[in-house]
Amino acid sequence: MHEASIMQSVFEIALGKLEGSGYERVDSISLRIGRATGVVSDALKFAFEALKPGTPFYGAALVIDEVPVGGVCLSCGEDFSTDERFVFQCPACAGSRLDITRGRELDLTGMEVS
Amino acid sequence: MKVNIVTRILEANERLAEQNKALFKESGVFVLNIMSSPGAGKTTFIEATIKALEARGLRVAVIEGDIQGTSDAERIGALGVPVVQINTGGACHLDANMVREALPDLPLAGIGLLIIENVGNLVCPAEFNVGEDAKVMLLSIAEGDDKPLKYPLMFQESRALIINKMDLKPYLDVDVGKIRKDSLSLNPSLNIFEVSARNGDGIGQWVEWLAGYIDKNS
Ligand SMILES: Nc1nc2c(ncn2[C@@H]2O[C@H](COP(=O)(O)OP(=O)(O)OP(=O)(O)O)[C@@H](O)[C@H]2O)c(=O)[nH]1
Ligand SMILES: [Mg+2]
Ligand SMILES: [Zn+2]
Ligand SMILES: [Zn+2]
């Protein structure tokens, strides 16, 4: 939904890192995006292509690591992952006390500069 | 050269949200962030809430977030309440910076509660904190009873769920029990209120809870 503003923030953070580094261009940007955030990778890529002309990112590639929603069941200890955007029940014991630890990521994890 | 950086992309927003929050604390203002899909009844609900709260002597101000237009702010202004309209110019949610820029136009010192009406959208307002004390999700029964499971994040992040347009229940085949059950399975500590912002049903209970919640948390 707001992938363009997410990408704008990515550019701002990355520009901050580039400045004063002695390098001029960004060759790649890596993101980690949790599935529970509702942020759509294709829309991020579209925003990236739209925003990069005329910036130090013009030749850069975008690498997105999508993280499935997952966590630990507090009843049976099962460590689970799911393709859904949310889990209600432990897939092993159907327990509902879950500690959801993955899927909310919205991180810039690395960049290559030259 | 490879640069390894792990930075939360919304870090800048989080930082500004913390600053807003500190300013609100300092001014003794409790802040609600009201989220719903377009037309679910946020502005009507805020109008009803203001009327009920003023009767209790709580001074309220409002920030209206809309993609464009000032009609919501005009409705609130007609109640004699300080109001600032934010036009996001296309952005589908309010962020902490937009709220920060609106604050100089509000008399924070004179008010006890600031209600922020977010842009109508069921997806992303939940992702952007603006410095609020509590998020409140509003769902009208006309939208159907499948919404909690389709848009889980908003329900998970909220302190209270307002189920609005209850006056339309006789005309709809919506299962309000399912809305309650699914919302609670997403967020067991959610406080749920069934209201009609149009005719005022349920507003008394909501305002009672809100006043208690403000007392406890400020
Ligand atoms: N029947 C009925 N109609 C309502 C109720 N609450 C709001 N409405 C109507 O729903 C329509 C939309 O209400 P608004 O309060 O403008 O909704 P909103 O969520 O602020 O809309 P946006 O700001 O555009 O996203 C209006 O025609 C209201 O009169 C209610 O409890 N019952
Ligand atoms: Mg409105
Ligand atoms: Zn958005
Ligand atoms: Zn289990």
Side-chain angles (χ1 to χ4, degrees):
Chain A
M1 196 106 216
H2 46 253
E3 282 78 2
S5 71
I6 301 261
M7 198 42 79
Q8 194 76 51
S9 302
V10 169
F11 275 31
E12 280 163 22
I13 298 168
L15 272 180
K17 304 279 176 192
L18 186 66
E19 251 169 48
S21 70
Y23 294 91
E24 279 161 26
R25 299 188 329 183
V26 178
D27 297 320
S28 78
I29 291 259
S30 300
L31 308 181
R32 184 162 58 209
I33 307 292
R35 297 275 319 275
T37 61
V39 171
V40 180
S41 294
D42 281 345
L44 275 179
K45 286 175 193 154
F46 183 79
F48 183 69
E49 295 305 323
L51 290 169
K52 74 184 191 183
T55 73
F57 305 88
Y58 69 91
L62 179 66
V63 182
I64 299 176
D65 174 22
E66 273 190 35
V67 185
V69 176
V72 177
C73 172
L74 298 177
S75 303
C76 75
E78 171 87 358
D79 192 325
F80 57 85
S81 286
T82 170
D83 288 336
E84 306 290 323
R85 279 170 42 219
F86 193 78
V87 252
F88 298 98
Q89 285 196 334
C90 166
C93 76
S96 59
R97 291 187 313 120
L98 308 174
D99 183 15
I100 308 291
T101 53
R102 300 185 296 277
R104 289 292 301 276
E105 297 80 358
L106 217 45
D107 301 325
L108 173 58
T109 52
M111 56 196 262
E112 285 177 285
V113 294
S114 61
Chain B
M1 188 194 68
K2 254 199 160 63
V3 187
N4 284 316
I5 28 166
V6 179
T7 312
R8 298 213 324 285
I9 295 169
L10 300 183
E11 191 190 42
N13 187 69
E14 288 301 317
R15 224 178 15 244
L16 290 175
E18 286 305 318
Q19 285 175 18
N20 289 349
K21 192 162 188 168
L23 180 65
F24 294 140
K25 277 261 132 26
E26 209 178 282
S27 318
V29 182
F30 190 88
V31 183
L32 292 180
N33 179 1
I34 309 233
M35 314 179 295
S36 84
S37 51
K42 295 179 293 301
T43 308
T44 313
F45 173 71
I46 292 169
E47 290 169 321
T49 299
I50 290 171
K51 287 179 197 151
L53 282 174
E54 299 256 302
R56 289 170 159 259
L58 186 66
R59 301 286 304 152
V60 184
V62 176
I63 291 178
E64 280 294 337
D66 286 290
I67 291 178
Q68 64 173 31
T70 56
S71 58
D72 282 2
E74 284 158 19
R75 284 166 62 185
I76 300 294
L79 298 176
V81 166
V83 57
V84 177
Q85 176 81 53
I86 298 177
N87 281 144
T88 63
C92 42
H93 57 268
L94 289 179
D95 65 30
N97 191 45
M98 298 176 199
V99 168
R100 187 178 68 114
E101 288 177 349
L103 293 182
D105 296 327
L106 283 173
L108 286 185
I111 59 171
L113 175 67
L114 173 63
I115 302 178
I116 299 174
E117 178 178 337
N118 217 309
V119 178
N121 179 335
L122 272 187
V123 184
C124 52
E127 224 32 276
F128 291 80
N129 293 324
V130 295
E132 69 274 34
D133 293 286
K135 292 185 170 68
V136 174
M137 160 87 203
L138 187 144
L139 180 74
S140 77
I141 57 173
E143 294 166 74
D145 49 31
D146 57 350
K147 294 301 167 290
L149 298 189
K150 281 193 182 163
Y151 301 95
L153 189 60
M154 297 270 277
F155 292 82
Q156 279 175 282
E157 295 285 304
S158 296
R159 235 336 91 232
L161 168 65
I162 310 299
I163 304 179
N164 189 32
K165 306 198 185 180
M166 286 300 289
D167 56 294
L168 297 179
K169 186 143 182 298
Y171 312 104
L172 301 167
D173 53 7
V174 60
D175 182 349
V176 176
K178 177 173 160 56
I179 295 176
R180 283 183 166 270
K181 181 171 139 285
D182 290 347
S183 306
L184 285 171
S185 70
L186 289 164
N187 179 353
S189 59
L190 196 61
N191 298 277
I192 303 179
F193 302 90
E194 294 175 15
V195 311
S196 165
R198 160 162 293 169
N199 67 24
D201 285 352
I203 295 293
Q205 264 170 308
W206 145 252
V207 162
E208 187 70 38
W209 175 84
L210 177 62
Y213 190 79
I214 294 173
D215 275 347
K216 246 187 290 150
N217 294 281
S218 55

